[in-house]
Amino acid sequence: QYLMARVLESGLLEPHLVHIRSRYREKLTAMLAAADAHLARVPGVEWLRPRGGLYVWVRLPSGMDAGLHRPLFDAAVQEGVLYVPGEYCYPAAGEPVQRNSLRLSFGVQSCAKIREGVEKLARAVIATLAH
């Protein structure tokens, strides 16, 4: 509590927020550009262009399961990338779970790693669809 009070009193918070928003905007731009370049080649794959947050939601062709211990997850791990299966992000009741969805985070990785990761994910999706 004391530390946060000092940050607020000193005026450090607002410049920090400006900086991290700019970095997250760059990372989001990198992820969306990589999706346009690599995921767009895969029929039936769509993604949302968020206006906030740290994630891009991807919808795979219907019938494709993005869950743990499923072929896509295993193929992605073999490529060296991880994603959050969308099924873990739905409420317990209400909205039906879409097992063909996944959530990609762009908060931690560099722009170069984001581009590389999306390219690898696209390869994993293509390989899974081929089987």
Side-chain angles (χ1 to χ4, degrees), residues 1-104:
Q1 292 174 338
Y2 178 71
L3 176 62
M4 196 62 204
R6 291 197 54 191
V7 167
L8 292 171
E9 289 169 0
S10 67
L12 294 173
L13 180 62
E14 194 57 38
H16 177 68
L17 291 176
V18 168
H19 172 74
I20 62 173
R21 284 180 187 136
S22 172
R23 290 292 298 138
Y24 288 152
R25 195 171 305 112
E26 290 172 15
K27 292 177 177 195
L28 171 60
T29 299
M31 183 168 280
L32 293 175
D36 290 342
H38 302 291
L39 292 174
R41 296 180 299 141
V42 186
V45 175
E46 302 172 338
W47 53 96
L48 298 176
R49 295 179 179 277
R51 294 189 295 188
L54 298 173
Y55 309 107
V56 171
W57 278 88
V58 177
R59 188 173 330 137
L60 303 166
S62 65
M64 187 173 204
D65 191 329
L68 293 178
H69 311 295
R70 304 300 300 161
L72 176 59
F73 195 85
D74 294 343
V77 168
Q78 286 180 348
E79 285 284 348
V81 294
L82 292 174
Y83 60 82
V84 175
E87 67 186 273
Y88 295 115
C89 304
Y90 282 82
E95 190 71 24
V97 173
Q98 294 183 19
R99 298 199 182 283
N100 66 325
S101 64
L102 52 99
R103 188 181 78 180
L104 303 177

Side-chain angles (χ1 to χ4, degrees), residues 103-119:
R103 188 181 78 180
L104 303 177
S105 173
F106 56 84
V108 176
Q109 297 296 330
S110 68
C111 290
K113 287 287 190 183
I114 289 168
R115 287 187 288 268
E116 179 184 339
V118 173
E119 182 177 4

